[in-house]
Amino acid sequence: MGVGMIANKFPGIRAATCENMAAVRCARAVNDANVLCLGQLVTSAEDGKVMMDEFLKHEFIARPNLGDGGDTPAPWWNENVEDFLKGSMEGIQRVEKDALNYASG
């Protein structure tokens, strides 16, 4: 958990600490995470490799599939979610810029 908290202190980093495949898919699809953090105590090396592969192939604003098999589409995903997410990065970048200006000034 801590590595994700530290990573997110750096501009442009959107780290997600994930413990299962559904979280990995949602981290990319919803949060546009660009860093995957895995807990050594809860994730085996083999599971970590599979989770990283999934993280790298999933895209932002792409309906995530839930469940271990990845075959159950997220029931809450709809056009409103996609529309919201399309504008979310602009808002996040604005908040990051304001935070950096505040911290330096």
Side-chain angles (χ1 to χ4, degrees):
M1 184 86 54
V3 69
M5 294 169 67
I6 297 299
N8 281 318
K9 292 183 180 221
F10 293 89
I13 298 295
R14 295 177 306 279
T17 302
C18 300
E19 296 179 354
N20 58 57
M21 292 299 278
V24 168
R25 292 180 188 113
C26 288
R28 290 288 294 143
V30 177
N31 298 323
D32 196 22
N34 57 10
V35 174
L36 175 62
C37 302
L38 302 171
Q40 174 185 348
L41 300 177
V42 296
T43 307
S44 69
E46 186 165 317
D47 286 347
K49 290 175 188 176
V50 173
M51 292 166 80
M52 179 55 76
D53 286 343
E54 187 70 20
F55 181 81
L56 292 173
K57 77 178 186 180
H58 214 290
E59 296 183 23
F60 182 46
I61 314 178
R63 183 179 189 157
N65 290 330
L66 308 178
D68 290 336
D71 53 359
T72 306
W76 44 263
W77 190 271
N78 59 44
E79 190 175 300
N80 292 333
V81 171
E82 290 183 17
D83 289 344
F84 171 78
L85 292 173
K86 286 175 185 172
S88 66
M89 289 312 298
E90 182 180 307
I92 290 170
Q93 290 168 348
R94 196 170 44 248
V95 168
E96 285 178 341
K97 181 180 175 186
D98 289 348
L100 287 172
N101 288 338
Y102 179 78
S104 65

